Amino acid sequence: MTTLRTARLLSTFSRLSLAITFIASTFSLASCREEGTDGPVDMTCTDIVTFAGNEGGHATFTFNRVDDSPEIVLTSPSPLNAEGIETGTRLLIRYIPQDNKAYTSGPITLLGGYAVTQSPLVMTWKEEYDPWDKDKVYVYSAWRSGHYLNMHVRLTYSTDPRIFCLAVAPGTADTPWPDVYLVHVISKDIDYHDRAYYASFDLSELWDNPGVEGIRLHVANSNLDKQIFTFPKTL
């Protein structure tokens, strides 16, 4: 379970710093694009990645582009110097790939990024999760990359404590298609503006079960009439 205060984990993201100026901002996800139309341009990419540590003086990041596509390893020319950013932290980064070749392993020019909201899948359902759909979630997108489930959502802003986690429904963990719920419960009723956030949940404990064929994700989605998303294994 991840019980969090919005001000700490969802609004005030950990910044990363390099020898160069490191700018934290909100980007489009899992994308690469060329900027401008006249003359040579650099392709900029934005992805949710895992910080694999500083190796040989270089910051290293790994990720799968989508589902079970091959793992990509990115290396920055400088080490990452960021308090609170440990190996294994999930980050949203913006970068320029070497030779403008997107989604290939190799050196990058790191432009900016921040740590996203993250936690492992909760395997034990708790009573406090029962009102899982109390506070709606506006889903922009949800996608799997390796054993991570990533989401881009809008949530009601509040400094009050809330529960925001991904939890397995009782009695479904050992079935071929476990039911997984995005639990979002704010401690008290509020009527305030929304903010956009990225989140990444580690499905490993469930995904590594050979009897699992995929998961059904249940979300109290306030965007469109789609409350269930399916994510099958592709390997």
Side-chain angles (χ1 to χ4, degrees):
M1 180 194 73
T2 300
T3 302
L4 53 87
R5 286 185 178 273
T6 308
R8 288 196 59 182
L9 294 184
L10 290 180
S11 295
T12 306
F13 296 105
S14 299
R15 264 61 176 185
L16 314 178
S17 63
L18 298 172
I20 59 172
T21 302
F22 201 78
I23 304 172
S25 57
T26 300
F27 311 120
S28 300
L29 58 98
S31 63
C32 288
R33 65 189 179 93
E34 296 183 359
E35 298 178 345
T37 56
D38 298 327
V41 295
D42 287 325
M43 175 178 290
T44 57
C45 297
T46 305
D47 291 285
I48 293 181
V49 302
T50 300
F51 176 50
N54 293 317
E55 301 178 3
H58 304 280
T60 303
F61 310 94
T62 63
F63 73 106
N64 304 80
R65 182 179 182 184
V66 66
D67 295 334
D68 297 301
S69 59
E71 183 179 71
I72 297 169
V73 181
L74 307 176
T75 56
S76 171
S78 302
L80 203 61
N81 179 21
E83 183 179 354
I85 303 298
E86 300 176 351
T87 299
T89 300
R90 297 286 282 170
L91 310 170
L92 182 74
I93 64 169
R94 183 169 180 254
Y95 61 96
I96 300 173
Q98 187 180 47
D99 299 327
N100 287 331
K101 295 180 179 178
Y103 301 114
T104 57
S105 294
I108 61 169
T109 299
L110 188 59
L111 302 177
Y114 54 77
V116 301
T117 299
Q118 54 204 278
S119 68
L121 177 68
V122 180
M123 298 297 293
T124 303
W125 190 269
K126 298 182 179 181
E127 184 177 352
E128 61 188 349
Y129 299 164
D130 289 346
W132 66 273
D133 57 350
K134 172 181 174 291
D135 296 289
K136 305 302 181 184
V137 177
Y138 189 102
V139 179
Y140 287 117
S141 58
W143 73 104
R144 183 174 67 83
S145 57
H147 56 83
Y148 291 100
L149 179 63
N150 307 306
M151 302 190 72
H152 184 202
V153 300
R154 290 192 70 86
L155 305 176
T156 300
Y157 172 77
S158 173
T159 58
D160 294 310
R162 72 176 74 199
I163 298 172
F164 184 71
C165 67
L166 206 61
V168 182
T172 70
D174 293 324
T175 65
W177 282 85
D179 290 289
V180 175
Y181 287 77
L182 183 65
V183 181
H184 184 218
V185 183
I186 303 177
S187 60
K188 64 181 182 181
D189 293 334
I190 55 175
D191 183 14
Y192 205 43
H193 66 269
D194 293 345
R195 286 187 179 179
Y197 305 102
Y198 288 95
S200 187
F201 301 98
D202 188 349
L203 305 175
S204 294
E205 189 169 353
L206 190 64
W207 206 254
D208 291 343
N209 183 342
V212 170
E213 299 175 2
I215 62 170
R216 282 188 296 266
L217 170 66
H218 299 254
V219 185
N221 186 11
S222 60
N223 180 22
L224 306 179
D225 185 22
K226 186 174 179 60
Q227 313 299 317
I228 300 177
F229 300 79
T230 58
F231 297 92
K233 283 185 176 179
T234 58
L235 289 179

